[in-house]
Amino acid sequence: GELLAGRSDWLDKTDEELLPARTATEVRAHDHAVLEANAPRFYDLSVQSEQGPRTLRSVKFPLRDAAGRRYVGAITTDVTEQRVAEAALRDADRRKDQFIATLAHELRNPLAPIRTAVAILGRDAAEADREWSRGVIERQVAHMARLVDDLLDTARVSSGKLLLRREHVTFAAVAAAALEASRPAIEASGHRLVTRMPAAQAVLDADPTRLAQVLSNLLDNAAKYTPRGGTIEIEAATAAGELVIAVSDNGIGFPPELAQQLFEPFSQWA
């Protein structure tokens, strides 16, 4: 039977004209397997057409004519568009999973300062400490509420994008929010924290929550992968109208060949 009878623009093509030698050999192997098993077989086949690469999905089945001779019948469908759609769905699902996993990771960060603040409120602390604890809880709960809003926004889940809410904010305020979230992990590991801030107040046009998240994640990773009693430094300096932020530590680091993987979600070494 004609392999591609379902496509009028290929009707005059034979298997040998249409398929590369290796693929034609593969097709004949499938035919042989169908006859040997005396049962249908399904498979996908990539071919080159005048329209470019196409994907064909075939079902082949054994037949027998009136004289008892066996041969193979085939029904072949062009499923190129279907395969493209399937790939797009898989990609969207992967991005959705990464989006949700990232937000779940981010939701854990505010819990440490909240636990510290609750512990202070639970004892006979001075009024200044109690006021500080209430402020920490309010700020971190507001941060978590923002993250939950992102989680509930299905449009951004589908696209894998977050909405940036930009405003004028001082870097000092951003750094304070990040340090508030990360300080419990830094102190629990006995690390020394060194901060170097710009001499002049740096005002940014940025999303303060997202920027604090980035800085907090860097500090958390430094705390996690630096041996106990290490040193973590955060330095910020202005240059040509931009703010350059660097977080460094004396931890284990990573091999240079893994640098390209750093921005893949949940990349990790050691």
Side-chain angles (χ1 to χ4, degrees):
E2 178 60 53
L3 175 67
L4 300 170
R7 291 192 58 85
S8 59
D9 53 334
W10 293 348
L11 279 177
D12 296 330
K13 301 282 188 180
T14 65
D15 288 0
E16 287 70 21
E17 292 173 322
L18 183 69
L19 305 175
R22 181 177 176 181
T23 307
T25 300
E26 178 186 348
V27 169
R28 287 191 290 270
H30 276 287
D31 291 350
H32 181 73
V34 168
L35 295 177
E36 284 288 315
N38 196 34
R41 288 177 67 95
F42 296 82
Y43 67 96
D44 287 355
L45 186 67
S46 296
V47 300
Q48 186 68 31
S49 77
E50 295 173 356
Q51 291 78 29
R54 310 296 296 182
T55 300
L56 309 177
R57 184 161 295 166
S58 287
V59 54
K60 290 202 169 186
F61 42 88
L63 295 172
R64 191 181 298 270
D65 64 15
R69 291 173 299 190
R70 296 194 305 157
Y71 59 100
V72 175
I75 299 175
T76 301
T77 306
D78 186 332
V79 293
T80 306
E81 284 74 18
Q82 179 182 335
R83 292 290 294 273
V84 170
E86 289 171 353
L89 286 173
R90 285 193 298 270
D91 184 61
D93 192 55
R94 176 186 58 79
R95 286 188 282 106
K96 178 197 67 177
D97 290 344
Q98 289 179 346
F99 183 97
I100 293 175
T102 300
L103 282 179
H105 175 73
E106 300 290 357
L107 281 169
R108 296 182 60 185
N109 290 342
L111 294 180
I114 288 175
R115 281 195 295 265
T116 300
V118 169
I120 292 174
L121 288 174
R123 61 175 185 256
D124 189 16
E127 182 58 31
D129 290 336
R130 296 175 66 84
E131 186 63 28
W132 175 85
S133 298
R134 284 192 289 268
V136 167
I137 293 172
E138 288 177 359
R139 287 189 295 274
Q140 296 303 323
V141 167
H143 184 178
M144 294 180 74
R146 166 77 182 275
L147 294 174
V148 172
D149 286 343
D150 288 336
L151 185 62
L152 295 177
D153 192 327
T154 55
R156 292 203 298 277
V157 168
S158 299
S159 64
K161 297 179 181 178
L162 295 173
L163 176 66
L164 293 179
R165 301 175 185 174
R166 296 168 61 169
E167 60 184 78
H168 287 105
V169 59
T170 65
F171 176 69
V174 171
L179 289 170
E180 183 177 276
S182 300
R183 195 177 297 276
I186 295 172
E187 293 179 348
S189 297
H191 298 318
R192 184 172 72 96
L193 179 65
V194 178
T195 60
R196 298 186 180 90
M197 299 296 160
Q201 183 72 276
V203 179
L204 308 174
D205 178 19
D207 184 324
T209 300
R210 295 295 173 216
L211 196 54
Q213 279 179 308
V214 171
L215 193 53
S216 178
N217 283 340
L218 291 172
L219 292 169
D220 286 345
N221 284 336
K224 182 176 181 180
Y225 294 108
T226 299
R228 185 172 183 81
T231 298
I232 298 172
E233 298 184 11
I234 174 172
E235 181 176 5
T238 55
E242 296 183 346
L243 182 70
V244 180
I245 307 167
V247 175
S248 59
D249 59 67
N250 58 350
I252 58 176
F254 59 89
E257 59 268 20
L258 295 184
Q260 297 300 318
Q261 301 178 21
L262 286 181
F263 296 101
E264 292 294 324
F266 301 101
S267 292
Q268 181 172 308
W269 181 75

